[in-house]
Amino acid sequence: MPTVRLGQFSREVARARDLVGVGQSLASMTHGRLDGSDLYRSALVHAVAALDSYVHGIVLDRAVDILMTRIPSGSGGKVGLHFGAISQIFAAATSGPADMEITARTYVAERLGLETYQRPDDISSGLAMVGLNKIWSSAFPKDAGAVKTALGVVVSRRNRIVHECDLDPLSPGNVTPLTDVDALEAIEIVENVVTAIDACC
């Protein structure tokens, strides 16, 4: 059964595809005088952001479920809540389970705000922390390595776009080319990863 987080991810991926469509329309309407590649870059970045947001949501939901004793604890990984936060969570329990859950969700979300879940190993560690162990071999039993590599390439490109303006190291002063097909392939890779992971959640 799909998680609640999958719906939000799907809406964000649709927005990423819409950015590609706008870039394609722009190039078509101007007969190639204007380049849609910056919109394709935005789409790729948005797809990776959707992945990161999805994994954060799954980790948050499951961490709160663990704190509320609805599911067993994970791999023994640490979320890293300070004693003050733990004290506040247990103090909120005296007011009832709803207050405890809201307090737990607040502190865990604050703590997870320091994490990034984009690279395959980071995704695996985050999900293992909340009981979803060996996610890559579970979600992709036949080709986990290839999927992790493909996702890593997309995330590396995202990082070049975000941190280096996608400048081409082989042609100083120029950006690395990115086509609509490249952006759509990157979005599809991200979407396939999340769909397969969600089936294991």
Side-chain angles (χ1 to χ4, degrees):
M1 183 170 91
T3 64
V4 173
R5 299 295 179 165
L6 186 60
Q8 180 65 38
F9 170 80
S10 296
R11 287 187 291 277
E12 296 307 320
V13 164
R15 290 178 63 200
R17 282 196 175 91
D18 288 347
L19 284 168
V20 174
V22 171
Q24 291 167 327
S25 295
L26 180 67
S28 175
M29 289 186 314
T30 62
H31 304 288
R33 288 181 181 228
L34 292 178
D35 180 4
S37 65
D38 283 336
L39 288 162
Y40 308 150
R41 287 180 184 83
S42 295
L44 186 149
V45 169
H46 195 82
V48 174
L51 164 69
D52 195 358
S53 178
Y54 167 82
V55 176
H56 268 93
I58 295 296
V59 172
L60 172 61
D61 293 346
R62 290 183 63 90
V64 170
D65 284 345
I66 289 167
L67 287 168
M68 299 298 293
T69 67
R70 292 190 285 247
I71 62 173
S73 62
S75 67
K78 297 175 179 81
V79 174
L81 294 178
H82 56 82
F83 286 120
I86 294 168
S87 172
Q88 290 295 320
I89 292 168
F90 285 117
T94 62
S95 299
D99 284 348
M100 181 181 179
E101 182 165 347
I102 290 169
T103 304
R105 188 167 290 280
T106 300
Y107 281 110
V108 172
E110 180 181 308
R111 172 57 189 89
L112 291 177
L114 304 174
E115 302 297 327
T116 301
Y117 297 118
Q118 298 173 358
R119 294 227 174 255
D121 290 345
D122 297 332
I123 292 168
S124 179
S125 296
L127 294 175
M129 180 174 57
V130 293
L132 296 171
N133 298 309
K134 300 181 180 177
I135 195 64
W136 294 107
S137 59
S138 298
F140 300 96
K142 293 183 180 178
D143 58 354
V147 172
K148 288 168 61 175
T149 298
L151 180 60
V153 169
V154 171
V155 172
S156 291
R157 184 65 186 265
R158 175 259 177 214
N159 289 342
R160 283 187 36 219
I161 292 167
V162 171
H163 299 294
E164 301 170 13
C165 301
D166 207 21
L167 294 176
D168 188 342
L170 302 177
S171 180
N174 294 310
V175 294
T176 305
L178 183 71
T179 67
D180 54 343
V181 173
D182 298 331
L184 290 170
E185 285 177 2
I187 292 166
E188 185 176 356
I189 288 166
V190 169
E191 187 172 35
N192 289 341
V193 164
V194 169
T195 302
I197 288 174
D198 199 74
C200 298
C201 292

